[in-house]
Amino acid sequence: MLVKKSLHSLTGKLIITIGTLMIAGSLIFWYFLFRYQENALIEGSVKYGYSFVEYVRKSTRYGMLAYQKLIIQQTIEAIGSEEGVLNIRIFNRQGRITYSSNKKDIGTILDKTSPVCTGCHTEDEHPKDTKTWSIKKEKDYRVLNIVQPIYNEPACYTSTCHFHPKDQKVLGLVEANLSLALLDKSIKQQGIAMIIYVLVFLFVISVVLCTILWKFVSTPVSLLAQGMERVAAGDLDYQVTINTRDEMGDLAKAFNAMTLDLKKAKDELVEWGHTLEKKVMEKTEAMQKAQAQLIHSEKLASLGRMAAGVAHEINSPLTGIVTFGHLLRKKFPEGSEDREDIDVIIDQANRCSNIIKGLLGFARASAAEKTLINVNDALSSSLNIVRNKADFFNIKLIINFDESLPPVKADPSQLQQVFLNMIMNAADAFDGKGTITITSRTIEDEGKEFVEIEFSDTGSGIREEDIEKLFEPFFTTKPVGKGTGLGLAVSHGIIKEHGGSIFVKSKLGEGSSFFIRLPVYREYKS
């Protein structure tokens, strides 16, 4: 594979950017380092100059005290002949050159505007009592000028040969001009060496940087770009091989994982295309089953209307049986066997009458409107319908009603329909024997007050994957012929229409609990 070699590539841009920053940073660093070393050398030269002038002063001290001019002049000439010493001069307080390594300067009075005078005198024209130095440029080198005061000592103002007032602090000045040619040469050589070092350093760093970027950036990026082109062309089996533990390696792994996912998705689409006809047939069959269930539901509704009519017709004979039973009962004495038999007849007739009354009330309730009701009353009515059914003889009913429930505004018949469906579903959850617990309570949820009804059973429970489908129309977990799959869907719609909610909690093998929440009537609360 040919890796792109262009300044417009990522590697080229990185090399230019990083290289520019390195060159700029290196030049700034080495410049300040060079200036620092130059200043350090100059400071060393100044210290040497001060030491040199102090040496001159001490060398001429004896001649000064003895007032031997010849010795002083000879000493200055001898010291001034040393290499690097341009001249040495001694001035008195009036600015006259009294001694000099260059005899021509002796006796010369310097102008007050000369650098030596302006640098060594204060504004009131008295000599300064501190050392001063300066550097001036000659043709090919620089010159260090050192000026140091000659202080008045006790030996000077007590000497017999000459006399200086005791309060006169400075007697004169010693000036030395020293050549910095060797220093300038050393600084120049050091600068050249530093430039060569910087160039070599930049060259080595550039080679290393280019190698690193080429190996760890440019090549992996080019491989990934080639992989993208292959995948875009439809080659989903192509894999990028980058065996590094850095971000490029992670990117290559993510790219390979992406191609595998794309291939998997493509295979799934192909498979869906092949099985589309089969799925359409399955959906058509499901719709046909739903239509059959609808027809069955309509048959059940017709049967219910017919059963309500039959129950109404049966209710009149039962009333006669109970009435004549009470009349017949009075003809037999207390405790007789015949009277006890008649009591059994009356009880069984009353039982049948209660069942029929409940069925008639449930059948007529569809046209009722929402009114303020107590949920406990609706639950009791529903229980009266099923309590005496043969299916419930071996079922234990546990009732936990909160007698202080606030009323709700609802359609009693619709609630009775929902409650009957909950009770019947709970009974179907086990094979004729178990426990159904019905609880009513008041709860608060998100600042709102609700009446909650819980229907719990000790049945087989519901599979987790079926819980989400329970309230879908025509979905049922019951055997064929035992359920239409509409009960929970209708119940869910009724509770939603009343502003409430219905949900279920279940664990396979441990039973289920259905919860119904209805909002408390607000006007009652206020």
Side-chain angles (χ1 to χ4, degrees), residues 314-347:
I314 294 175
N315 193 41
S316 296
L318 285 175
T319 304
I321 293 173
V322 173
T323 302
F324 285 102
H326 281 286
L327 294 174
L328 185 60
R329 182 175 178 275
K330 294 178 181 180
K331 295 181 180 182
F332 297 97
E334 292 286 344
S336 64
E337 185 176 351
D338 293 330
R339 186 165 181 156
E340 291 177 358
D341 292 339
I342 293 173
D343 287 339
V344 173
I345 293 172
I346 294 173
D347 290 340

Side-chain angles (χ1 to χ4, degrees), residues 135-168:
I135 295 179
K136 57 184 178 180
K137 178 69 176 175
E138 294 295 338
K139 292 183 179 180
D140 299 326
Y141 55 87
R142 291 180 293 177
V143 176
L144 173 64
N145 177 260
I146 302 291
V147 179
Q148 179 175 318
I150 301 175
Y151 300 104
N152 193 5
E153 301 177 4
C156 293
Y157 57 75
T158 58
S159 177
T160 57
C161 59
H162 60 281
F163 176 76
H164 295 288
K166 185 176 180 179
D167 58 353
Q168 187 175 335

Side-chain angles (χ1 to χ4, degrees), residues 245-498:
R245 297 183 180 179
D246 52 14
E247 288 79 359
M248 289 298 180
D250 295 338
L251 187 59
K253 293 178 181 178
F255 176 84
N256 293 334
M258 179 193 69
T259 56
L260 291 176
D261 292 339
L262 288 175
K263 187 175 186 300
K264 183 178 179 181
K266 181 181 178 181
D267 294 340
E268 289 179 354
L269 288 175
V270 172
E271 184 180 356
W272 270 97
H274 294 160
T275 59
L276 181 60
E277 183 178 356
K278 180 180 178 182
K279 290 186 180 293
V280 170
M281 293 176 63
E282 291 176 354
K283 291 297 180 182
T284 303
E285 183 180 354
M287 292 178 65
Q288 291 174 350
K289 289 181 179 180
Q291 185 178 8
Q293 288 176 332
L294 282 173
I295 295 172
H296 181 62
S297 299
E298 183 62 27
K299 289 169 65 177
L300 290 177
S302 300
L303 181 61
R305 289 193 295 269
M306 184 180 66
V310 173
H312 181 73
E313 295 297 331
I314 294 175
N315 193 41
S316 296
L318 285 175
T319 304
I321 293 173
V322 173
T323 302
F324 285 102
H326 281 286
L327 294 174
L328 185 60
R329 182 175 178 275
K330 294 178 181 180
K331 295 181 180 182
F332 297 97
E334 292 286 344
S336 64
E337 185 176 351
D338 293 330
R339 186 165 181 156
E340 291 177 358
D341 292 339
I342 293 173
D343 287 339
V344 173
I345 293 172
I346 294 173
D347 290 340
Q348 295 301 318
N350 284 330
R351 177 184 168 193
C352 292
S353 180
N354 290 332
I355 294 174
I356 291 172
K357 286 180 181 179
L359 288 173
L360 289 174
F362 179 66
R364 291 195 298 267
S366 59
E369 296 180 355
K370 291 182 181 179
T371 59
L372 289 178
I373 65 169
N374 189 305
V375 171
N376 290 339
D377 295 338
L379 287 170
S380 299
S381 299
S382 301
L383 287 170
N384 289 334
I385 295 176
V386 300
R387 193 188 301 272
N388 295 313
K389 287 187 62 178
D391 295 345
F392 283 79
F393 286 166
N394 295 323
I395 294 177
K396 182 179 180 181
L397 293 172
I398 300 176
I399 309 301
N400 297 320
F401 288 170
D402 183 357
E403 299 299 334
S404 61
L405 284 182
V408 298
K409 194 169 186 179
D411 186 333
S413 65
Q414 290 184 349
L415 286 189
Q416 190 176 4
Q417 179 181 352
V418 173
F419 296 159
L420 279 174
N421 185 65
M422 295 291 109
I423 296 171
M424 296 300 293
N425 284 344
D428 292 338
F430 34 68
D431 296 329
K433 187 175 182 179
T435 301
I436 299 176
T437 303
I438 303 175
T439 305
S440 64
R441 63 177 75 92
T442 304
I443 66 166
E444 283 193 7
D445 186 16
E446 297 182 354
K448 297 180 180 180
E449 192 175 9
F450 295 89
V451 172
E452 183 178 76
I453 308 97
E454 178 182 354
F455 298 88
S456 299
D457 63 69
T458 57
S460 58
I462 305 171
R463 294 185 303 175
E464 186 175 354
E465 57 269 23
D466 291 337
I467 290 179
E468 297 180 357
K469 307 175 184 177
L470 283 179
F471 301 106
E472 295 179 2
F474 307 113
F475 177 81
T476 180
T477 58
K478 298 177 183 179
V480 178
K482 201 171 181 180
T484 63
L486 291 173
L488 286 176
V490 173
S491 298
H492 182 268
I494 291 174
I495 298 301
K496 283 291 184 182
E497 195 273 333
H498 282 76

Side-chain angles (χ1 to χ4, degrees), residues 52-78:
F52 178 79
V53 172
E54 183 65 17
Y55 170 74
V56 172
R57 188 188 69 79
K58 289 181 179 180
S59 299
T60 59
R61 182 174 180 276
Y62 176 76
M64 292 286 186
L65 293 176
Y67 198 62
Q68 296 182 3
K69 295 184 176 181
L70 181 60
I71 294 176
I72 297 171
Q73 180 62 30
Q74 289 176 347
T75 301
I76 290 176
E77 289 179 1

Side-chain angles (χ1 to χ4, degrees), residues 500-515:
S501 61
I502 180 172
F503 58 94
V504 61
K505 294 181 180 179
S506 181
K507 192 170 183 180
L508 201 62
E510 297 184 7
S512 305
S513 294
F514 283 80
F515 298 85

